[in-house]
Amino acid sequence: MTSQEKTEEYPFADIFSEDEIERNFLLSKPVCFAVFGKPGVGKTTLANQIAQTWKCIRVEALPVLEEYIAVENELGSMLKSMLFSGQSIPDELVIKLILEKINSPEVSHFGYIITEIPSLSQDAMTALQQIELIKNLKFKPDVIINIKCPDYDLCQRISGQRQHSSTGYIYTRDHWDPEVIESRRKKKKELQKEGKGEDEGEEEEEQEEEEAFIAEMQMVAEILQHLVQRPEDYLENVENTVKLYKETTLQVLEEVMAEHNPQYLIELEGNKPPEELYMTVLERLKHLNLKRAAIITKLQSAEEEIDIMENEELLRVLASYKMIAPRYRWQRSRWGRACPVALKDGNIYPGLPDFSVSFLGKLYCLSSEEALKAFSLNPRRYLLPPMPAPPCKVVVCGPQRAGKTTLADLIAEHYKGKVVDYSTLVQPRFEKAREMLIENTITEATEAAIRTVKERLLAEQQAKIQAETTLREFQKHFGRKEFEEFSELHSSFGEEASIHDSLLEVAEEAKTKSENVLDDQGANIDEDDEKDISETSTFKRSSQDHSQDLKTYSDKAPVEVSVEVTANHPAVISILEETIKTTKDLNFEQPYEKHAEILEEVLREVMEENQNRFPGAPKYGGWILDNCPIAKELWLVLAERGLVPDLIVYLSDFENNGKCLYNRIYLKNKSEIDAKILERLIGDIRKKKREEAAARKAKEEALRIEEENRRLINAMNEKAKGRLTR
């Protein structure tokens, strides 16, 4: 039998896909740790060391509260005020903040290490409820570290702790107790003697050790007077705390550790030094096939400056910054120079050199400080497929029947977008807004006309009342006769100024007549004394009676003037006629601003409806604008509002003077065009026939006239011949 050798098509090709490996890492769960143990056993110290090595986030109450207070928002101000007033933070709020931190984008990428859940405080939640809370987290702990320590050793260690009153640093008994330091020194000497023998000792080394011991004792003497013991470090309090832990929490934790995968359960001896515990954990983690969080490296520092370059040159320069190994340059990502954070939001912004970073061996350029901060917290959400996906902000333009709508529908189908027809979605809203503007203008003009007419009528009535008041005042000073003459004058004058002049003239005339009457009465008083006295008394009584009537009439309350004017008033209608004529062609002062405003509103509605068009779609985008007017003023306004599309497609036909488009238009409206062509041809034929008939008639008429002229000439010639023959 002969065996055929299988030949590979690409024998030197890498069978591993770099994009597939990157995608698997971005979709992978970050490594999370949970450290259990008795209070004071060293959980926080070990957690700090692991967090620094694995770059995971240490989730504890104190760092979380400090972070919220540093933000200086409403919650941070509330926490700060509570602490300044001496109040304690409620356990419910602390647990809530810890859970928010665990679910934050930062933890979603780097992972976490937690040491304070479950807590000994059972006020808000029991230990079992806290454990159930951990089990139901989105990111459950992958590795559980349990630090064991006998109760006696732990109580002795904690009770021997002292805190510096100024710095707050905590010293163990090995660092501040002179007796412990002396015993440790003696043990060290004994070990050295056993190892080297009696004759191998060197005086210089002993002298150096003696000097170091003296310096250490001097330092201990200096800090010893500043050390204090905290209440929680008293032996009795420590024993009570350990007892409470064993009663409320230990059993629950043992059940959790029993259910956990033994391969990812690390148990440590708490009596060992912290450094030894840390090295033990690292050694175990090496064999668990766990991946550390990928670090984001900022390539350019604040002192470095890069001149403005083209995309290719800029990426080539940035690829050589902070290389992890010689000749190992950063690779270009599929985003190129586009900002991944802005692209995830649906905007295509070019990245800046100042905000360039490296991640997973590739180069990324961010567009702003905020984008850099968001990308540094969690780059996974910006790099996961389907990104980099175009936001799909497209405008399709072109002449009629160029295929704009068909192309827009195809683009929308491919990118799961939605076609926005300008003529059916924007233009009707603009016309409606214009109608509302006209209605509001007419309403305002009607109200203004009503006010004008009402003010005019009120002015006329007030003038009339003023004239009547003037008449009453005049009647107080003059008699009935003068009043009758004044009434005659008043009836002949209609305006207020004429009335005032007439009043002055009548008053002068009445004064003159009164003086004449008095003179006549004085001259004739002897002749008819009794008669004049009786007439004078009668006149006085009548004048007094009339004056009393006028006074009574003038003392009445002033009449309130009220005029009812509606939109149907003839004067109002006459004023509105011109306004209604001008409002027929009324438009906005800046119509393109209104067009842009309506278009922005329509696009916002479309993006809200089509936001989840596919998993991981950009926040903004997903629209294809069709039948948009090509007006310079409109596009300038759109650019100011940030509505400029990422892609503009213009369809045109420059071959054979647009014969293809003309053919499409003809085929689309063939029946209508054919009917018009036939009508035009029939009209031409009829016109030609009429012209031919008219020409034939004109020719016949010319021939007839010519024949008549010829006959007339012949007749005249014959007549002339007849005369000659005679």
Side-chain angles (χ1 to χ4, degrees):
M1 296 178 64
T2 60
S3 61
Q4 297 180 354
E5 296 181 357
K6 296 182 179 180
T7 59
E8 296 182 0
E9 186 177 358
Y10 301 101
F12 299 105
D14 191 356
I15 62 174
F16 297 101
S17 173
E18 183 179 355
D19 294 337
E20 186 68 21
I21 294 174
E22 180 180 344
R23 181 176 179 274
N24 292 336
F25 175 81
L26 295 176
L27 292 174
S28 64
K29 175 183 175 297
V31 181
C32 302
F33 299 87
V35 184
F36 297 151
K38 299 175 183 177
V41 77
K43 301 189 296 293
T44 302
T45 304
L46 181 61
N48 289 333
Q49 295 173 338
I50 295 175
Q52 292 177 2
T53 304
W54 280 76
K55 306 301 179 183
C56 56
I57 307 301
R58 185 167 62 94
V59 181
E60 293 182 0
L62 182 58
V64 170
L65 293 176
E66 290 177 349
E67 181 179 348
Y68 276 96
I69 292 174
V71 175
E72 295 184 355
N73 54 9
E74 184 178 356
L75 180 58
S77 301
M78 183 190 71
L79 295 174
K80 190 175 182 180
S81 62
M82 291 176 65
L83 294 176
F84 282 173
S85 61
Q87 302 178 14
S88 59
I89 308 298
D91 294 340
E92 299 90 342
L93 182 57
V94 173
I95 294 176
K96 179 182 177 182
L97 296 179
I98 289 177
L99 292 178
E100 289 181 359
K101 184 65 177 179
I102 292 176
N103 295 323
S104 63
E106 184 180 7
V107 172
S108 300
H109 173 63
F110 293 99
Y112 66 85
I113 181 168
I114 190 169
T115 61
E116 295 184 350
I117 293 182
S119 63
L120 294 179
S121 177
Q122 307 290 322
D123 297 336
M125 301 175 67
T126 62
L128 183 60
Q129 291 175 342
Q130 296 180 48
I131 292 298
E132 290 296 329
L133 193 64
I134 294 177
K135 291 181 179 180
N136 295 327
L137 289 175
K138 180 181 178 181
F139 300 110
K140 300 178 179 61
D142 300 299
V143 180
I144 294 180
I145 302 173
N146 183 28
I147 304 177
K148 296 181 178 180
C149 185
D151 296 346
Y152 177 79
D153 296 341
L154 180 61
C155 293
Q156 292 298 321
R157 184 204 304 175
I158 298 176
S159 61
Q161 293 180 160
R162 298 293 185 272
Q163 186 178 24
H164 198 283
S165 59
S166 300
T167 62
Y169 186 79
I170 297 176
Y171 295 88
T172 60
R173 189 182 297 274
D174 297 339
H175 294 87
W176 65 267
D177 193 346
E179 296 180 358
V180 176
I181 296 174
E182 180 66 25
S183 63
R184 186 173 67 246
R185 176 170 173 269
K186 290 180 180 180
K187 290 180 180 179
K188 186 176 181 181
K189 283 185 176 182
E190 292 177 358
L191 292 175
Q192 289 178 353
K193 289 180 180 180
E194 292 177 359
K196 295 181 180 180
E198 296 180 357
D199 299 334
E200 295 180 1
E202 297 181 0
E203 295 182 359
E204 294 181 359
E205 293 182 0
E206 291 180 358
Q207 186 176 359
E208 291 178 358
E209 292 178 359
E210 188 69 24
E211 292 177 357
F213 174 73
I214 294 173
E216 184 178 3
M217 294 303 295
Q218 290 178 354
M219 184 186 66
V220 170
E222 291 177 359
I223 66 173
L224 191 59
Q225 57 183 350
H226 298 286
L227 298 181
V228 295
Q229 187 177 14
R230 298 176 299 178
E232 58 266 25
D233 294 337
Y234 292 160
L235 181 59
E236 182 180 357
N237 294 336
V238 175
E239 291 176 350
N240 293 334
T241 303
V242 173
K243 182 180 179 181
L244 179 63
Y245 170 81
K246 295 173 69 175
E247 292 177 353
T248 60
T249 309
L250 181 58
Q251 184 178 359
V252 179
L253 293 180
E254 288 177 350
E255 294 177 358
V256 172
M257 290 184 287
E259 296 174 357
H260 197 71
N261 188 352
Q263 185 179 0
Y264 296 95
L265 176 62
I266 303 175
E267 294 186 342
L268 304 175
E269 177 59 41
N271 283 327
K272 294 182 179 180
E275 292 77 10
E276 187 175 348
L277 297 179
Y278 169 65
M279 296 305 298
T280 304
V281 172
L282 291 185
E283 192 66 26
R284 287 287 304 274
L285 293 177
K286 289 180 181 179
H287 306 285
L288 294 180
N289 193 23
L290 297 176
K291 297 179 181 179
R292 302 184 185 184
I295 305 302
I296 300 165
T297 305
K298 194 172 186 300
L299 298 181
Q300 187 181 8
S301 60
E303 294 79 11
E304 299 173 340
E305 293 184 1
I306 298 180
D307 298 333
I308 300 176
M309 303 178 182
E310 297 294 335
N311 292 345
E312 293 295 328
E313 185 178 1
L314 176 63
L315 295 176
R316 181 178 57 81
V317 172
L318 291 175
S320 60
Y321 275 52
K322 296 183 180 180
M323 295 186 296
I324 58 177
R327 303 180 64 181
Y328 187 85
R329 300 166 63 90
W330 302 111
Q331 300 180 12
R332 299 183 185 182
S333 65
R334 291 180 295 169
W335 281 258
R337 192 178 175 180
C339 176
V341 178
L343 187 61
K344 182 64 177 178
D345 292 336
N347 301 313
I348 301 178
Y349 295 154
L352 302 177
D354 297 339
F355 308 119
S356 58
V357 297
S358 63
F359 177 69
L360 294 179
K362 293 184 179 179
L363 177 66
Y364 299 93
C365 296
L366 288 309
S367 59
S368 63
E369 186 71 31
E370 293 76 13
L372 175 62
K373 183 178 179 181
F375 190 82
S376 300
L377 290 178
N378 186 5
R380 302 189 185 204
R381 51 183 174 175
Y382 305 110
L383 305 181
L384 281 171
M387 305 306 295
C392 191
K393 299 178 182 178
V394 184
V395 173
V396 182
C397 304
Q400 186 181 6
R401 300 301 173 187
K404 304 187 298 296
T405 303
T406 303
L407 180 60
D409 293 338
L410 293 175
I411 295 174
E413 182 180 359
H414 185 270
Y415 290 102
K416 303 295 187 296
K418 187 174 181 180
V419 178
V420 178
D421 193 345
Y422 195 95
S423 59
T424 58
L425 294 178
V426 179
Q427 193 64 34
R429 295 194 185 188
F430 177 80
E431 296 298 334
K432 185 177 180 180
R434 183 172 169 272
E435 292 176 0
M436 291 294 296
L437 176 64
I438 294 174
E439 291 179 2
N440 295 335
T441 304
I442 294 175
T443 302
E444 293 176 359
T446 304
E447 294 176 356
I450 291 174
R451 287 196 301 269
T452 303
V453 173
K454 185 179 290 187
E455 290 175 358
R456 188 174 64 188
L457 295 177
L458 287 174
E460 292 177 357
Q461 290 192 5
Q462 288 177 358
K464 184 177 180 181
I465 294 172
Q466 184 67 26
E468 293 177 355
T469 305
T470 306
L471 288 175
R472 290 195 298 270
E473 292 293 333
F474 177 76
Q475 290 174 1
K476 291 181 181 180
H477 298 86
F478 302 100
R480 187 180 301 275
K481 183 176 181 180
E482 289 79 2
F483 175 75
E484 292 175 356
E485 294 177 358
F486 173 75
S487 299
E488 294 177 359
L489 289 173
H490 177 264
S491 61
S492 62
F493 296 97
E495 297 180 356
E496 185 176 356
S498 300
I499 293 173
H500 187 266
D501 296 337
S502 300
L503 288 173
L504 294 176
E505 293 176 1
V506 172
E508 292 293 336
E509 185 178 357
K511 183 178 180 181
T512 305
K513 289 183 178 181
S514 299
E515 292 176 354
N516 293 334
V517 170
L518 292 175
D519 293 337
D520 293 337
Q521 288 179 355
N524 300 324
I525 193 170
D526 294 333
E527 298 177 356
D528 201 0
D529 186 44
E530 294 179 358
K531 183 178 180 180
D532 290 337
I533 291 173
S534 61
E535 290 178 356
T536 303
S537 60
T538 304
F539 177 76
K540 287 182 179 180
R541 284 196 302 270
S542 63
S543 299
Q544 290 176 358
D545 296 337
H546 188 66
S547 299
Q548 187 69 24
D549 295 337
L550 290 175
K551 183 177 181 181
T552 304
Y553 181 77
S554 62
D555 291 339
K556 292 182 180 179
V559 180
E560 295 183 359
V561 179
S562 61
V563 180
E564 291 293 335
V565 180
T566 61
N568 298 325
H569 196 278
V572 176
I573 294 175
S574 62
I575 294 174
L576 290 178
E577 287 179 355
E578 187 65 25
T579 304
I580 294 174
K581 291 180 181 179
T582 57
T583 53
K584 291 182 179 179
D585 300 329
L586 183 64
N587 202 346
F588 294 95
E589 294 181 0
Q590 295 180 347
Y592 292 108
E593 287 281 352
K594 192 63 178 179
H595 276 274
E597 180 183 348
I598 296 174
L599 178 60
E600 184 177 8
E601 180 182 352
V602 171
L603 294 180
R604 190 184 304 111
E605 294 175 358
V606 170
M607 287 186 289
E608 289 178 358
E609 295 176 0
N610 204 24
Q611 189 172 5
N612 298 323
R613 55 189 182 275
F614 58 86
K619 182 178 179 182
Y620 303 108
W623 49 266
I624 301 93
L625 187 60
D626 188 17
N627 294 324
C628 181
I630 305 177
K632 179 181 178 181
E633 295 80 2
L634 176 61
W635 283 91
L636 289 176
V637 176
L638 293 178
E640 292 177 358
R641 289 178 170 266
L643 297 177
V644 179
D646 300 325
L647 178 64
I648 299 177
V649 180
Y650 185 81
L651 302 177
S652 60
D653 184 14
F654 298 106
E655 296 181 0
N656 299 326
N657 295 325
K659 182 179 179 181
C660 180
L661 292 181
Y662 290 145
N663 188 31
R664 288 183 185 177
I665 296 173
Y666 169 72
L667 294 177
K668 182 67 178 179
N669 305 308
K670 183 177 180 181
S671 59
E672 182 180 355
I673 294 175
D674 289 346
K676 290 184 178 181
I677 292 175
L678 182 61
E679 182 181 355
R680 180 170 57 84
L681 292 176
I682 293 173
D684 293 343
I685 293 173
R686 290 176 178 176
K687 182 179 179 181
K688 186 177 180 180
K689 288 182 178 180
R690 287 195 299 269
E691 291 177 353
E692 291 177 353
R696 186 172 59 253
K697 288 182 180 180
K699 185 176 181 180
E700 292 176 355
E701 183 68 19
L703 292 174
R704 186 182 62 78
I705 294 172
E706 184 180 357
E707 183 66 22
E708 289 181 355
N709 292 334
R710 186 174 58 79
R711 289 178 181 178
L712 181 61
I713 292 172
N714 292 334
M716 292 176 64
N717 291 333
E718 290 178 356
K719 189 176 182 180
K721 288 180 180 180
R723 289 178 181 177
L724 292 174
T725 54
R726 289 179 185 178

